[in-house]
Amino acid sequence: MPAVPLSVVIITYNEERNIARCLEALGDVADEVIVVDSFSTDRTVDISRQHGARVIQHAFEGYVQQKNFATAQAQYDHVLQLDADEVLTDELRQSIRQAKENWQGAGYTLARLTNYCGSWVRHGGWYPDRKLRLYDRRLGQWEGMLLHERYETQPGQLVGALNGDLLHYSYDSVEQHVAQLNRFTSIAAEELWLRGKRRVTLFHLLLKPIWKFVHGYFLRLGMLDGFAGLSIATISAWGVFLKFAKLRTRRPTTTV
């Protein structure tokens, strides 16, 4: 059987720092590359086009909607979905080539290895952080609400796991992590509100943040990642508090 053709789809917004590195690392695994951009104000679109990507601009309606839209734009049914701050390693590219030559099931998970402020994080629950990113779009779709989107295959479908790491360049600084955390906790609080989970107690504001730190730093061995592990565990715990504090102080929208 001939190798299946593969579409690589990437959603972007102001990713001029990352997008070239992501595109250059694709090598020969992509039969087409599509960048769905949410009207960036930097050089993301120009850089993408310079690297041979087909750019489609589409207003951002949410992560789930944007990734489903991007998947639908692909010419081929077999799709690799990447974020602009992710990079394929040599081993992962070889695994993708092998999957194309002998495709099995609905898709494959990829192991993400995250770079945090210059350090590779292998503990604290951050690795291998497997994500289903290589898939047959006829057998699943992106699902979720406002945050933590995930690709779900149809019931009973086989999902494999590829060798090799997907390098994830997450945060260059603690300031960047905190800024992202503030944004994401607002989204997470809104999602809890929409799901009807509106009761916030001392358990949510105190015990859950403490458990988050203990679980990541001690039980998941985040301590072995040095400063990065300590920073991640501490900020993650703070994020749990922020999420529930924002939910606690959210006011219902009034209509006239």
Side-chain angles (χ1 to χ4, degrees):
M1 293 292 291
V4 298
L6 183 67
S7 296
V8 176
V9 298
I10 307 166
I11 66 171
T12 60
Y13 178 71
N14 287 351
E15 291 285 358
E16 66 178 5
R17 294 188 308 111
N18 295 312
I19 190 62
R21 179 178 57 200
C22 177
L23 294 173
E24 289 166 0
L26 293 177
D28 61 355
V29 301
D31 295 281
E32 74 160 346
V33 181
I34 299 172
V35 170
V36 174
D37 182 75
S38 306
F39 297 95
S40 292
T41 58
D42 64 3
R43 297 184 59 247
T44 299
V45 170
D46 291 338
I47 295 171
S48 298
R49 287 176 174 153
Q50 289 168 9
H51 284 78
R54 176 161 63 96
V55 177
I56 301 170
Q57 293 195 303
H58 184 260
F60 186 80
E61 300 173 352
Y63 290 104
V64 172
Q65 295 86 343
Q66 198 76 346
K67 289 186 176 181
N68 277 325
F69 174 84
T71 297
Q73 308 315 302
Q75 179 180 353
Y76 306 114
D77 289 322
H78 295 84
V79 175
L80 172 64
Q81 191 281 323
L82 296 175
D83 292 337
D85 59 0
E86 295 174 336
V87 174
L88 303 181
T89 58
D90 291 341
E91 183 181 6
L92 182 54
R93 276 195 300 272
Q94 180 59 28
S95 294
I96 294 172
R97 293 188 196 101
Q98 292 171 353
K100 290 177 62 178
E101 292 170 359
N102 186 30
W103 188 274
Q104 302 289 327
Y108 299 86
T109 63
L110 283 57
R112 287 205 310 177
L113 177 61
T114 295
N115 188 287
Y116 182 90
C117 299
S119 298
W120 295 107
V121 179
R122 298 182 179 275
H123 306 90
W126 276 37
Y127 183 78
D129 187 29
R130 282 199 166 271
K131 305 291 185 184
L132 180 52
R133 295 294 194 79
L134 181 63
Y135 50 83
D136 183 337
R137 66 179 177 184
R138 296 168 296 186
L139 301 175
Q141 65 179 0
W142 287 93
E143 295 184 358
M145 291 186 68
L146 304 180
L147 201 59
H148 303 306
E149 73 283 0
R150 64 199 180 279
Y151 191 83
E152 293 283 351
T153 62
Q154 297 171 4
Q157 293 295 329
L158 175 69
V159 174
L162 295 187
N163 295 323
D165 291 330
L166 177 64
L167 304 182
H168 177 216
Y169 291 87
S170 62
Y171 303 112
D172 295 328
S173 66
V174 171
E175 290 84 357
Q176 190 181 44
H177 188 185
V178 171
Q180 185 83 303
L181 181 87
N182 189 42
R183 176 171 171 264
F184 279 0
T185 53
S186 295
I187 297 173
E190 180 67 15
E191 182 170 302
L192 287 173
W193 180 273
L194 293 174
R195 291 165 57 189
K197 298 183 178 182
R198 303 174 184 181
R199 183 170 179 266
V200 178
T201 67
L202 191 63
F203 170 77
H204 300 93
L205 295 169
L206 181 61
L207 297 183
K208 285 183 74 70
I210 291 174
W211 170 248
K212 183 70 173 181
F213 179 86
V214 170
H215 183 259
Y217 192 68
F218 293 108
L219 300 184
R220 300 301 296 271
L221 303 180
M223 65 182 77
L224 299 181
D225 288 317
F227 169 77
L230 179 60
S231 180
I232 289 168
T234 302
I235 295 175
S236 296
W238 172 239
V240 175
F241 171 81
L242 278 181
K243 175 177 67 176
F244 287 110
K246 289 177 179 181
L247 178 62
R248 171 68 176 80
T249 56
R250 189 191 187 286
R251 294 291 178 264
T253 301
T254 57
T255 57
V256 178

